[in-house]
Amino acid sequence: MRPVTFVLLLAGVVTAVTATATERGPTCQREIPAELIRDLWSQTKQLISSLPKEEKASRKLRLLPKFCTNCPERLIGWQEMRELIGVYQSSVFSREFLQKLLPLHYNELLHRLQHTLQHCVSSSKPSQWSESIKKLEKKIKKMSRGRKRRRDEGVMKAVGEFIFVLRWIDELREQIGL
């Protein structure tokens, strides 16, 4: 095969793949505006600063699994983000005591992010990290039982770690896709 023919063939394949991806609809990378993540980030920081300080014991406990957006061994993507936002919506941000502390429009921003992720993630199959995400949900629910103070500490710990979820989403947004 001549080099010119190979280059033309390769260009045709890349064009076909790009056209197929475009036909499937917008990607999460394009759908989630940076402004939405910035607003959620700043309001989450505001929320964290309004919460009572954590106990030393809960500072050592990590709720979120150790994920990474660009390392092969713990790689996560948009599907995991959709699942994590769902867990946070149902198990953390829906808590009555936390609802009173949320900054104005926080629920609307969170709902917008969740809706966008549901729209742009087409797979209905669970992700490869579903078990880890279910364990996270169980940890949050387990910490939410018992004495009121301990219940609140678990939710506050989860809110403090929500910054990591927003960082992962921002990193995924910044990655260059095909």
Side-chain angles (χ1 to χ4, degrees):
M1 186 180 280
R2 293 173 34 205
V4 173
T5 308
F6 179 74
V7 169
L8 289 174
L9 180 63
L10 183 61
V13 169
V14 168
T15 303
V17 168
T18 306
T20 304
T22 305
E23 287 171 11
R24 281 190 245 142
T27 64
C28 293
Q29 197 169 16
R30 285 181 258 152
E31 282 282 309
I32 298 173
E35 172 187 318
L36 174 61
I37 301 303
R38 274 193 308 268
D39 289 348
L40 269 169
W41 182 282
S42 67
Q43 288 194 15
T44 301
K45 287 292 219 179
Q46 180 184 345
L47 174 61
I48 291 169
S49 67
S50 72
L51 294 173
K53 298 297 174 213
E54 295 179 49
E55 297 292 322
K56 284 185 180 177
S58 68
R59 274 190 230 150
K60 293 178 184 175
L61 174 69
R62 180 184 169 111
L63 295 174
L64 283 173
K66 291 184 179 181
F67 287 142
C68 180
T69 58
N70 54 11
C71 53
E73 58 280 345
R74 299 296 284 176
L75 188 65
I76 56 170
W78 292 112
Q79 189 171 355
E80 289 81 11
M81 292 301 102
R82 181 185 69 183
E83 291 175 18
L84 282 170
I85 294 296
V87 166
Y88 267 85
Q89 277 280 60
S90 65
S91 301
V92 178
F93 293 115
S94 63
R95 303 298 301 228
E96 187 178 321
F97 95 92
L98 193 57
Q99 284 291 315
K100 299 172 188 173
L101 299 173
L102 291 177
L104 189 61
H105 304 299
Y106 194 85
N107 279 328
E108 292 146 14
L109 293 171
L110 203 55
H111 178 73
R112 202 169 123 205
L113 177 60
Q114 184 178 30
H115 178 75
T116 304
L117 284 168
Q118 288 172 345
H119 168 74
C120 68
V121 176
S122 58
S123 177
S124 59
K125 293 188 294 186
S127 75
Q128 68 177 15
W129 299 110
S130 281
E131 287 304 313
S132 297
I133 294 170
K134 285 178 185 175
K135 284 180 186 177
L136 163 69
E137 187 171 24
K138 286 178 185 176
K139 275 188 204 177
I140 293 170
K141 287 180 178 179
K142 183 179 179 182
M143 289 180 79
S144 298
R145 294 186 201 123
R147 296 187 332 255
K148 183 182 180 331
R149 181 180 168 147
R150 179 164 161 69
R151 260 194 326 243
D152 296 350
E153 281 179 18
V155 171
M156 290 185 297
K157 178 68 178 168
V159 169
E161 291 187 9
F162 188 62
I163 290 290
F164 290 107
V165 176
L166 294 174
R167 182 180 301 146
W168 291 331
I169 291 172
D170 193 46
E171 287 174 3
L172 287 170
R173 272 194 69 265
E174 297 297 321
Q175 289 178 0
I176 298 172
L178 231 184

